[in-house]
Amino acid sequence: MPKKALITGITGQDGSYLAEFLLEKGYEVYGLSRRTSTPNYSRIESIVDKIHLLSGDLIDQYSLYQAIQEACPDEIYNLAAQSFVKASWEQPGYTGESTALGVTRMLDAMRMAKPDAKFYQASSSEMFGKVQEIPQTEKTPFYPRSPYGVAKVYGHWITVNYRESYNLFAVSGILFNHESPRRGLEFVTRKISSTVAKIKYGKADKLYLGNPDSKRDWGYARDYVEMMWLMLQQQEADDYVIATGETHAIREFAEKAFTVAGIKNWEDKVVWNDPRYTRPAEVDHLIGNPAKAKEKLGWVPKTSFDELVRLMVEADLQLEKI
């Protein structure tokens, strides 16, 4: 009998890569999808006939219980959330409901319907926020700087509490920024790669960005979903920082993106510190130490920063060429 996995957020960047990865491993894959008037299955278009889509919402406890009962999964990957930091300031209540309390609802549904399943929670480097040490490890204190970061801290600690209180196999992956050509257009890396491609083909004149000096630890999403799976193959449940251990400024990402596209004098095409893209509270320097994941999981990121930028820009050049 093949193993079965249930993925919330299967239509997102991470969910789509994870679904492909698990199918290659021989899993039967179930995905939780919210009902909308116009479903967006673009990221899972190539595999939609190979997976089982179930209707459910992190806001609705009973729908989660039903989905787990129907799928009867060996592994549950909770990737769904309101995951855009800027939107969390505009919709703080909804962010709390989905990104924080949604985790409790998933854990409670698993506890009642399939307590022997293994549970993965998508935690975030945004939990570190105003960083208390550099680089950040599993023991670094959290200091979130947005409603999204605060919600993720709740989701992280409720996972720890359910693990310790109910003896569930429940883990959190503290993922630092991970990007890909499937990243949403609202995220800065994809915004850069997409706009650079538009500038290349004369569809845009300028790239508008916020703080050029914000530094992030950027990895490739396809590499990171393997780690999610590895965490659930261990004998004991534990939490891990997943990162490259390198930090790069947004300015550097932009410069490399323009270089990949063959655009010179790139500085003339960028407007920095646009007030539309500045946060009420800035997160300046995120860089993770993945030593524990390397030692215990044998995991190392395979894709370099330069290669990641190239992958994203070339994909958007193909899109905009049409």
Side-chain angles (χ1 to χ4, degrees):
M1 287 285 290
K3 275 189 174 182
K4 295 197 283 186
L6 172 63
I7 303 170
T8 73
I10 195 168
T11 59
Q13 170 188 253
D14 293 5
S16 63
Y17 282 124
L18 178 61
E20 291 171 357
F21 177 86
L22 293 175
L23 286 171
E24 288 171 7
K25 291 278 181 190
Y27 279 65
E28 189 173 351
V29 176
Y30 291 77
L32 195 73
S33 178
R34 279 188 305 156
R35 285 218 180 278
T36 58
S37 58
T38 53
N40 182 5
Y41 297 150
S42 59
R43 294 185 181 95
I44 56 170
E45 195 172 10
S46 64
I47 59 167
V48 75
D49 59 341
K50 300 174 185 175
I51 60 178
H52 309 278
L53 288 174
L54 305 175
S55 178
D57 194 317
L58 292 184
I59 304 295
D60 184 350
Q61 174 87 42
Y62 186 61
S63 72
L64 304 179
Y65 176 78
Q66 279 188 308
I68 293 173
Q69 267 205 323
E70 184 172 342
C72 197
D74 301 288
E75 298 169 3
I76 297 171
Y77 297 86
N78 186 41
L79 311 185
Q82 191 301 101
S83 59
F84 186 38
V85 173
K86 184 176 184 293
S88 78
W89 289 105
E90 297 157 358
Q91 302 176 43
Y94 174 72
T95 300
E97 280 288 347
S98 61
T99 307
L101 291 176
V103 186
T104 308
R105 296 186 187 104
M106 279 300 300
L107 284 163
D108 226 34
M110 183 181 93
R111 181 177 68 85
M112 292 185 286
K114 192 67 166 66
D116 62 338
K118 293 185 173 183
F119 182 89
Y120 171 85
Q121 165 60 16
S123 287
S124 167
S125 60
E126 289 286 333
M127 298 189 306
F128 295 120
K130 188 176 180 181
V131 298
Q132 303 300 292
E133 65 179 0
I134 297 173
Q136 293 90 54
T137 72
E138 292 82 4
K139 295 181 179 179
T140 302
F142 299 137
Y143 196 141
R145 299 274 277 173
S146 66
Y148 170 74
V150 172
K152 280 294 186 182
V153 170
Y154 178 99
H156 181 86
W157 280 116
I158 202 68
T159 301
V160 172
N161 273 261
Y162 268 65
R163 176 169 75 213
E164 295 177 350
S165 301
Y166 296 116
N167 198 31
L168 300 177
F169 193 106
V171 306
S172 288
I174 306 173
L175 270 64
F176 280 65
N177 292 66
H178 46 293
E179 318 298 316
S180 76
R182 297 182 191 174
R183 192 58 143 153
L185 288 165
E186 67 271 28
F187 292 89
V188 67
T189 52
R190 183 70 198 289
K191 184 185 173 188
I192 291 171
S193 64
S194 176
T195 307
V196 164
K198 286 182 172 70
I199 290 172
K200 173 74 172 180
Y201 293 118
K203 298 178 181 180
D205 298 318
K206 297 282 186 183
L207 170 61
Y208 295 88
L209 295 169
N211 180 4
D213 301 316
S214 282
K215 293 181 178 178
R216 295 290 184 272
D217 184 325
W218 278 303
Y220 182 29
R222 191 189 287 275
D223 293 346
Y224 283 30
V225 299
E226 179 185 5
M227 171 283 314
M228 300 175 187
W229 175 77
L230 281 170
M231 288 175 65
L232 296 192
Q233 311 315 305
Q234 305 307 302
Q235 291 298 311
E236 294 183 6
D238 205 352
D239 305 321
Y240 296 86
V241 162
I242 304 299
T244 67
E246 296 180 8
T247 187
H248 299 274
I250 290 174
R251 185 190 302 277
E252 185 181 353
F253 196 106
E255 180 179 4
K256 288 184 180 296
F258 278 106
T259 300
V260 170
I263 298 172
K264 297 179 180 178
N265 301 319
W266 67 275
E267 296 97 330
D268 299 337
K269 297 173 175 61
V270 182
V271 177
W272 295 107
N273 295 307
D274 188 311
R276 291 175 295 173
Y277 307 115
T278 55
R279 301 180 180 184
E282 185 57 82
V283 174
D284 294 315
H285 194 177
L286 293 176
I287 176 171
N289 180 354
K292 181 178 172 182
K294 288 180 180 178
E295 179 188 346
K296 293 196 172 183
L297 305 179
W299 178 85
V300 288
K302 302 179 179 73
T303 308
S304 69
F305 176 71
D306 285 10
E307 180 71 2
L308 173 64
V309 178
R310 186 187 66 76
L311 280 168
M312 293 183 69
V313 174
E314 288 184 352
D316 276 321
L317 285 170
Q318 280 297 112
L319 281 175
E320 294 302 331
K321 198 174 184 179
I322 297 169

